[in-house]
Amino acid sequence: MHVAVFSGFGADRCCGFGVMLADPDNEATFKVLTVPGSLQRVRKAADAILQDVEAAGYTTEAVFAIKLALEEAITNAIKHGHSSDSSKPVTLCYAVSAEKCVIIIRDQGGGFNPREVPDCTKAERLALPYGRGIMLMRTYMDRVSYRKHGSEIYLMKRNK
């Protein structure tokens, strides 16, 4: 796992230099992990985020929600964003406080329009073994938004 620090992220960056504490309300302070795009390696990076979440005292339910959303977002980045090309890295930017966890996952794909994803609750889609990730992330996280034309997802969970 490669830990990288980028200067400036805002709408198109996710961390800055010289800041010791990551603040969920300030993307310039986020921790950044840039990982080769294999599921195994990106999941290791996700485990590091989950360790920070647990250390911050999140409830069991919140840890489960974050883990589920992370797994779905990572799988989507690799499978859809990178067409399973493990040579393309995935970037995870995050900050965890006692009150809130924010995670941004970026792939190098061309993005997508989340409004064009079929409704997985329609009768004709219920039997399909795929297509529920976005719904699950929206259900379990307090905020889910897509940026950079869909190649970046913003996930936020409050510790309730």
Side-chain angles (χ1 to χ4, degrees), residues 2-46:
H2 172 67
V3 178
V5 178
F6 304 104
S7 62
F9 186 69
D12 54 299
R13 67 188 171 111
C14 61
C15 90
F17 289 106
V19 179
M20 297 304 285
L21 296 175
D23 175 0
D25 294 318
N26 182 356
E27 288 181 30
T29 68
F30 282 24
K31 295 178 184 178
V32 178
L33 306 172
T34 300
V35 187
S38 74
L39 280 173
Q40 181 181 16
R41 288 191 173 176
V42 180
R43 283 183 177 146
K44 271 186 152 177

Side-chain angles (χ1 to χ4, degrees), residues 13 22-23 36-37 41 44 49 62 78-79 83 89 102 106-107 109-112 118 125 127 134 138-139 156-157 159:
R13 67 188 171 111
D23 175 0
R41 288 191 173 176
K44 271 186 152 177
I49 295 171
I78 292 170
K79 183 176 178 183
S83 299
V102 175
R106 182 189 313 141
D107 63 56
F112 76 108
R125 301 200 60 83
I134 293 173
R138 287 183 173 151
T139 300
M156 188 272 291
K157 182 70 175 172
N159 187 17

Side-chain angles (χ1 to χ4, degrees), residues 70-103:
L70 257 173
E71 287 178 0
E72 290 296 337
I74 287 166
T75 299
N76 287 347
I78 292 170
K79 183 176 178 183
H80 301 294
H82 291 166
S83 299
S84 299
D85 181 351
S86 63
S87 72
K88 294 180 179 178
V90 174
T91 301
L92 297 96
C93 308
Y94 72 101
V96 179
S97 71
E99 297 81 30
K100 177 169 47 174
C101 171
V102 175
I103 304 165

Side-chain angles (χ1 to χ4, degrees), residues 128-155:
L128 297 176
Y130 55 84
R132 293 173 184 81
I134 293 173
M135 181 197 66
L136 288 170
M137 288 185 284
R138 287 183 173 151
T139 300
Y140 282 96
M141 299 300 284
D142 294 312
R143 181 173 168 206
V144 175
S145 58
Y146 291 89
R147 307 189 303 193
K148 298 184 75 111
H149 308 289
S151 63
E152 184 174 282
I153 186 170
Y154 175 101
L155 305 167

